Amino acid sequence: MAKAKLSFICQSCGAVYTRWQGKCESCGEWNTIVEENASGGIGGGPQRGRRKGTRSALLPLSGELEEAPRIISGIDELDRATGGGIVRGSALLIGGDPGIGKSTLLMQTAAALSRRGHSVVYVSGEEAVAQVRLRAQRLNVADTDVQLMAETNVEDILATLAEARRPDLVIIDSIQTLWSDLAESAPGTVTQVRVGVQAMIRFAKASGAAVILVGHVTKEGQIAGPRVVEHMVDAVLYFEGEGGHHYRILRTVKNRFGPTDEIGVFEMGDLGLREVQNPSELFLGERNEKAAGAAVFAGMEGTRPVLVEIQALVAPSALGTPRRAVLGWDQPRLAMVLAVLEAHCGVRLGQHDVYLNVAGGFRISEPAADLAVAAALVSSLSGAPLPADCVYFGEISLSGSVRPVGQAAQRLKEAEKLGFRQAVLPSGSADLPRSRDVVTNEIEALPDLVARVAAGGNGSDA
């Protein structure tokens, strides 16, 4: 009898080693390498009875194009994040922190699709059927025709789905609980997760049913398990939110059938998640218009303009090394803005603590927030409040110039809709509308902004 071939696989990144070691050289994590049997599973061990390959058809690039059929859930924020609906035969991966509301969102999605006449199967690997029913009663969706299954074995799940009528949507909660007879390792390991996801993707492509997979996240916020899982699926979405805030954001980071930078905004309540049609009003709802160090940033999330408040606090430091704390923005980006302010504008912040926060727990990723951050910093340092009806957006370069950003017209339109009458933006923005009620103040360099902000206060340290 042949001896079983063993390999050692990192449970954090999926790197494979021939022997055990304490630290993974690929991701740097300690005590994550686990011994697994490499002879089991797909592609493992000697291939007995190897069949001869069959010829496949070669097709040209030109030809008729067919739009991928989609399943419209009726939840507008979910449909927006997925690019207009869930594509039939696709596999989606949704990740998020524990307790953030992934199961709640999927239960409401299953109920909404069931009410529209679609067949939905909800497979729970972490909770019993009774627990899922309790959640459905709390969300007032227990009267729908969603089919439940409490199972973790992949072969049993596929056998059950094959016997019944082909479902339109299958929800697997979660992939870390799946295990297959093809792999001998424990559930939740890299091998089991990879085999389970491969089996569900093959089912989706062969049957035309859409499959939504729920994945746990690590402490760094990445989906746990091998990164190859994210490459295998058609779309990857993250369900984000802070524990102290009632809003949740469904952010798309990969989508083969739509844009990759869309977001859907929800509000968590006693009866589940509620859609937020205008997120700008949510993030600006508790704004103090007379406080210094607060600037409103007109940002873009995909095709959606979002207005958020950026708050800055600059205070004299009693430490040898001043503090730099950031919430909701990139800390290296803040260090760059501080350096440009000091080098080109004479704003001395070397002896001050700097705290920056994006109100509402929102996270900003685009560099267009540079101008709003600089305005908030100078306003806090000088003690001069910024105009309450003004928005800011623009990218700052290392030379001190302000560079134009895209979709300026949409940003101004959203600001006008919410009652803002002024905007500070880079000069040379190409897509500004000719007729508008928002007064635009175009600036070419950062010193122009510093002079404008400092002139509005009683004094300035700049």
Side-chain angles (χ1 to χ4, degrees):
M1 182 176 180
K3 183 178 180 181
K5 182 180 178 182
L6 298 179
S7 61
F8 299 85
I9 302 179
C10 176
Q11 304 302 301
S12 178
C13 66
V16 182
Y17 299 90
T18 58
R19 60 183 179 85
W20 184 89
Q21 58 190 47
K23 181 180 180 180
C24 176
E25 298 176 356
S26 179
C27 64
E29 295 291 333
W30 287 88
N31 298 325
T32 58
I33 298 177
V34 176
E35 176 184 319
E36 294 187 10
N37 188 353
S39 61
I42 300 175
Q47 299 179 358
R48 298 191 178 100
R50 190 173 180 180
R51 69 176 181 88
K52 185 178 179 180
T54 57
R55 180 180 178 274
S56 298
L58 298 176
L59 302 176
L61 287 177
S62 59
E64 296 183 0
L65 299 178
E66 296 183 2
E67 186 177 356
R70 296 180 181 269
I71 304 174
I72 306 300
S73 67
I75 303 178
D76 295 337
E77 296 300 305
L78 175 64
D79 294 335
R80 172 192 291 269
T82 55
I86 303 173
V87 177
R88 295 183 182 273
S90 65
L92 286 74
L93 179 61
I94 296 181
D97 295 330
I100 203 67
K102 300 184 297 296
S103 300
T104 300
L105 172 64
L106 294 179
M107 177 59 69
Q108 293 183 224
T109 302
L113 288 172
S114 178
R115 291 192 176 105
R116 286 174 167 260
H118 296 285
S119 175
V120 182
V121 176
Y122 191 104
V123 182
S124 176
E126 300 179 349
E127 299 174 308
V129 173
Q131 293 175 290
V132 180
R133 287 174 175 171
L134 285 175
R135 179 184 295 112
Q137 292 179 0
R138 178 174 59 86
L139 300 176
N140 294 328
V141 297
D143 57 337
T144 57
D145 295 330
V146 178
Q147 302 296 311
L148 300 180
M149 185 195 317
E151 184 57 61
T152 58
N153 183 266
V154 176
E155 286 76 18
D156 293 344
I157 294 174
L158 295 178
T160 304
L161 296 176
E163 292 179 358
R165 181 173 68 95
R166 190 208 72 178
D168 296 314
L169 176 66
V170 178
I171 298 174
I172 307 294
D173 189 5
S174 65
I175 60 174
Q176 274 75 22
T177 62
L178 294 180
W179 64 278
S180 172
D181 296 331
L182 297 177
E184 298 181 3
S185 54
T189 57
V190 170
T191 301
Q192 287 285 9
V193 171
R194 183 171 58 245
V195 171
V197 172
Q198 284 177 338
M200 297 309 303
I201 292 178
R202 286 198 306 272
F203 166 77
K205 303 303 180 185
S207 65
V211 175
I212 297 181
L213 308 170
V214 179
H216 297 166
V217 297
T218 62
K219 59 182 180 181
E220 290 82 14
Q222 302 294 328
I223 295 179
R227 294 305 300 269
V228 69
V229 172
E230 298 188 28
H231 297 287
M232 293 161 55
V233 297
D234 298 306
V236 180
L237 301 94
Y238 282 86
F239 204 44
E240 304 172 351
E242 299 292 337
H245 299 89
H246 54 277
Y247 83 93
R248 302 289 187 267
I249 292 180
L250 184 64
R251 187 182 304 274
T252 307
V253 297
K254 173 188 175 182
N255 192 355
R256 291 173 178 165
F257 308 105
T260 59
D261 50 4
E262 289 287 0
I263 64 169
V265 184
F266 299 87
E267 183 179 7
M268 178 64 77
D270 295 337
L271 299 178
L273 294 166
R274 182 184 65 85
E275 298 179 70
V276 178
Q277 301 293 344
N278 193 344
S280 299
E281 293 182 349
L282 174 66
F283 296 129
L284 297 176
E286 301 177 357
R287 179 174 169 233
N288 186 0
E289 299 179 353
K290 298 181 180 180
V296 177
F297 166 58
M300 293 294 299
E301 290 290 340
T303 59
R304 162 180 280 175
V306 178
L307 269 60
V308 293
E309 184 183 46
I310 295 180
Q311 303 168 348
L313 176 61
V314 179
S317 177
L319 304 175
T321 303
R323 293 181 178 177
R324 302 287 188 262
V326 186
L327 290 176
W329 204 46
D330 190 19
Q331 188 153 1
R333 197 86 190 172
L334 173 63
M336 186 206 75
V337 173
L338 293 175
V340 174
L341 283 172
E342 186 161 353
H344 297 285
C345 306
V347 180
R348 306 300 176 187
L349 295 169
Q351 303 299 322
H352 292 77
D353 293 331
V354 176
Y355 302 90
L356 190 72
N357 176 50
V358 180
F362 191 73
R363 305 185 75 79
I364 300 175
S365 58
E366 60 172 335
D370 292 350
L371 201 62
V373 170
L377 291 171
V378 177
S379 172
S380 178
L381 182 64
S382 64
L386 298 173
D389 60 345
C390 185
V391 297
Y392 302 81
F393 60 90
E395 181 182 356
I396 298 175
S397 64
L398 292 178
S399 62
S401 61
V402 182
R403 303 177 59 184
V405 295
Q407 300 171 306
Q410 292 179 276
R411 302 172 195 261
L412 294 177
K413 184 178 180 181
E414 179 72 9
E416 180 183 355
K417 185 172 64 174
L418 293 178
F420 290 86
R421 295 292 175 260
Q422 302 181 59
V424 177
L425 67 158
S427 60
S429 298
D431 57 345
L432 294 180
R434 294 184 178 179
S435 59
R436 56 182 181 268
D437 295 332
V438 179
V439 178
T440 57
N441 302 307
E442 301 185 20
I443 60 176
E444 297 182 355
L446 192 57
D448 300 336
L449 174 70
V450 175
R452 179 187 298 272
V453 175
N458 297 327
S460 174
D461 295 333

